[in-house]
Amino acid sequence: MAAASSSSHETSLLSRAGISRRAVASAWKKPASVRGSLNPDIDPPPKPWRVAQYLALAFILFLAMLQFRPPTHFRDPSDPFGTWIPHNSNFDLSSPTVTEGNLSSSNEGESNIISTGNAEPGMVHIVSWMDCLDLRMLAVLVNSTLSNSRYPESIHFHIFTPEGDKDKVSYYKLKVLFPHSNLEFIGQEKVKGKLETATSVGGFVWPSLQEVAPFVIPSTHPFLKRFIYVSPDIIMKERVEELFGVDLSNYAVAAAEDCRILLHEYVNFDILDAIQRSATKPWVSRKPYEKNACVPDLSMLLINSKKLEYDLVEAILWWSKVLAMGNERFNQTNPAFVLALYDKSLKLSTAWKVRDRIPSKTNCESNLLRFDGARKACSSELNTRELGFGDVWKQYLSTPSDRILIS
């Protein structure tokens, strides 16, 4: 009643003021355009195209499978430009594919550097011979090689030592320092037996097994068909896989040249000319020997035994006999090796020549340095170490690691 009287009172006031209230429709009718059953908030979404669902699933699976493919390119962290470099995890180190490298030869007649492959994918074989095991020297060789390599996991070290794999203590000391390295010790019995057989007639004794060993190893260990032979007293300051990739062409051996002493300073040329006129051996050059020819540096060799035309050991032994050198030792390269390899080896870039102590400011320009630390004397009468004269080796062997080796 109160509400009704209030409403009537409000109506009378509006009529007095000349204002009328608009009548409210009793029922609001929807426009024809919105009449129907469309309710966008509750209607189900339209059904997708079934073929599109299968295509999307297939695309997702394709992207997932790509994650299992090997990488094709990589970026060098030290490259400020972030250049993409092609990378094949199964690179072959024997098939020649010419590329540019740090070792491209600057002189005519020197070897070209190639990106190569191997019958054993990704394996770079490094062989060394030690008359007596010097762990410090060997650790520097291994660490300097691995530290400067782009693919350290592809490098395999084959170290020939007197005790071979029987020396478990020394082997595990190195594995503590280089747990992920591919390293093995091999005994020297087979190589020494081969040399004893070759020299059984005439009573010849090899002055240095370290020089002749690389030419015997392919016959006693056939799995080493292509390998780098390196003297154990080397500090490697360059990527060794680039040396392994040198195109040998028709040569079986590649070596850098040492021109500090020339050929005429090694041998008497009157005797050499007489030998050349009378001998018909395949290892005697048909062309006149050059008096001022440089000699190969035997501290670092690249050998492909599949291309050997004759037994180099036989050639070296023959030259030793005809030159009547006997069992004398040489401070420089044995002349028999020089003549056996004359015109039969590929000349490497001078960057691969082993250098002795040089000023520290130019150390970075040498790929191979001579070990400058204390050395273990191999003579049975002397069990001391020769004094070293430098500190380059300490860059590759910390003091705690050195203590492990000498303990």
Side-chain angles (χ1 to χ4, degrees):
M1 293 294 292
S5 61
S6 175
S7 177
S8 59
H9 178 70
E10 181 180 353
T11 302
S12 62
L13 289 177
L14 291 173
S15 60
R16 291 177 185 177
I19 300 174
S20 62
R21 181 190 297 270
R22 183 179 178 181
V24 180
S26 59
W28 180 77
K29 297 182 179 180
K30 294 182 180 180
S33 58
V34 298
R35 293 176 184 175
S37 60
L38 180 62
N39 296 307
D41 293 337
I42 60 175
D43 282 353
K47 293 183 178 180
W49 189 28
R50 185 172 298 274
V51 177
Q53 290 180 319
Y54 290 124
L55 290 176
L57 178 60
F59 183 69
I60 293 174
L61 293 177
F62 172 73
L63 293 178
M65 294 299 294
L66 287 178
Q67 306 303 314
F68 296 97
R69 289 180 55 81
T72 59
H73 292 71
F74 69 96
R75 286 178 174 173
D76 191 340
S78 62
D79 184 1
F81 301 102
T83 305
W84 285 103
I85 303 173
H87 169 61
N88 185 0
S89 59
N90 290 327
F91 61 93
D92 188 10
L93 298 174
S94 62
S95 59
T97 304
V98 178
T99 60
E100 295 181 357
N102 294 336
L103 301 178
S104 347
S105 43
S106 56
N107 300 325
E108 185 178 358
E110 293 183 352
S111 56
N112 292 324
I113 302 305
I114 59 174
S115 173
T116 62
N118 189 5
E120 302 151 318
M123 296 180 69
V124 177
H125 296 287
I126 296 181
V127 175
S128 189
W129 179 283
M130 305 191 78
D131 291 326
C132 61
L133 182 59
D134 189 336
L135 284 179
R136 172 184 289 172
M137 183 187 296
L138 181 57
V140 171
L141 170 64
V142 172
N143 195 24
S144 62
T145 303
L146 296 176
S147 299
N148 291 290
S149 172
R150 177 176 290 178
Y151 310 104
E153 70 281 356
S154 70
I155 297 177
H156 293 247
F157 294 94
H158 312 275
I159 312 300
F160 287 79
T161 63
E163 296 185 18
D165 58 359
K166 297 178 183 178
D167 190 356
K168 300 294 186 182
V169 175
S170 299
Y171 173 78
Y172 285 115
K173 284 183 179 180
L174 288 175
K175 290 300 289 183
V176 168
L177 301 185
F178 314 109
H180 303 295
S181 63
N182 302 303
L183 175 71
E184 68 169 339
F185 284 176
I186 303 176
Q188 300 175 345
E189 297 82 5
K190 290 184 178 180
V191 175
K192 291 180 178 179
K194 181 78 173 182
L195 291 176
E196 290 176 0
T197 302
T199 59
S200 58
V201 179
F204 181 83
V205 178
W206 292 100
S208 174
L209 292 181
Q210 185 171 320
E211 286 184 338
V212 73
F215 308 110
V216 184
I217 288 173
S219 61
T220 58
H221 299 77
F223 73 94
L224 292 170
K225 295 179 176 62
R226 181 186 176 101
F227 61 90
I228 295 173
Y229 179 81
V230 57
S231 176
D233 61 337
I234 297 298
I235 300 176
M236 188 76 64
K237 296 178 72 65
E238 190 51 83
R239 294 170 178 170
V240 72
E241 58 266 25
E242 294 186 355
L243 173 60
F244 197 80
V246 169
D247 182 9
L248 287 175
S249 185
N250 294 324
Y251 293 96
V253 180
E257 289 188 336
D258 185 356
C259 295
R260 291 177 298 179
I261 299 181
L262 303 179
L263 183 59
H264 72 270
E265 300 178 64
Y266 276 83
V267 295
N268 187 321
F269 258 73
D270 293 334
I271 297 176
L272 185 59
D273 291 340
I275 294 172
Q276 189 177 23
R277 288 192 302 267
S278 58
T280 58
K281 297 293 185 179
W283 47 77
V284 178
S285 176
R286 297 180 180 179
K287 299 183 298 183
Y289 289 90
E290 297 182 12
K291 292 185 177 181
N292 295 326
C294 300
V295 300
D297 184 358
L298 301 181
S299 297
M300 172 72 77
L301 300 171
L302 175 62
I303 297 178
N304 187 350
S305 62
K306 295 185 291 184
K307 296 184 179 180
L308 285 174
E309 297 178 358
Y310 52 81
D311 191 346
L312 279 175
V313 177
E314 183 182 357
I316 295 168
L317 182 60
W318 185 88
W319 278 112
S320 299
K321 291 180 179 179
V322 298
L323 295 176
M325 291 184 298
N327 301 326
E328 59 181 305
R329 294 180 177 271
F330 300 89
N331 294 329
Q332 302 293 332
T333 305
N334 189 325
F337 290 87
V338 177
L339 294 171
L341 293 174
Y342 182 84
D343 205 26
K344 299 293 190 299
S345 62
L346 181 68
K347 182 174 68 172
L348 291 174
S349 167
T350 54
W352 291 102
K353 179 185 175 298
V354 180
R355 306 177 191 275
D356 296 323
R357 185 184 182 186
I358 55 179
S360 58
K361 64 181 181 180
T362 60
N363 274 354
C364 58
E365 299 177 0
S366 270
N367 293 331
L368 304 177
L369 298 178
R370 194 70 66 179
F371 178 78
D372 59 350
R375 298 166 180 252
K376 182 178 180 181
C378 291
S379 173
S380 58
E381 298 177 359
L382 299 174
N383 194 22
T384 59
R385 287 181 175 266
E386 300 176 3
L387 295 178
F389 53 79
D391 296 325
V392 177
W393 68 276
K394 294 181 180 180
Q395 300 176 16
Y396 301 99
L397 189 64
S398 63
T399 300
S401 299
D402 191 28
R403 290 173 181 171
I404 294 176
L405 297 178
I406 64 178
S407 62

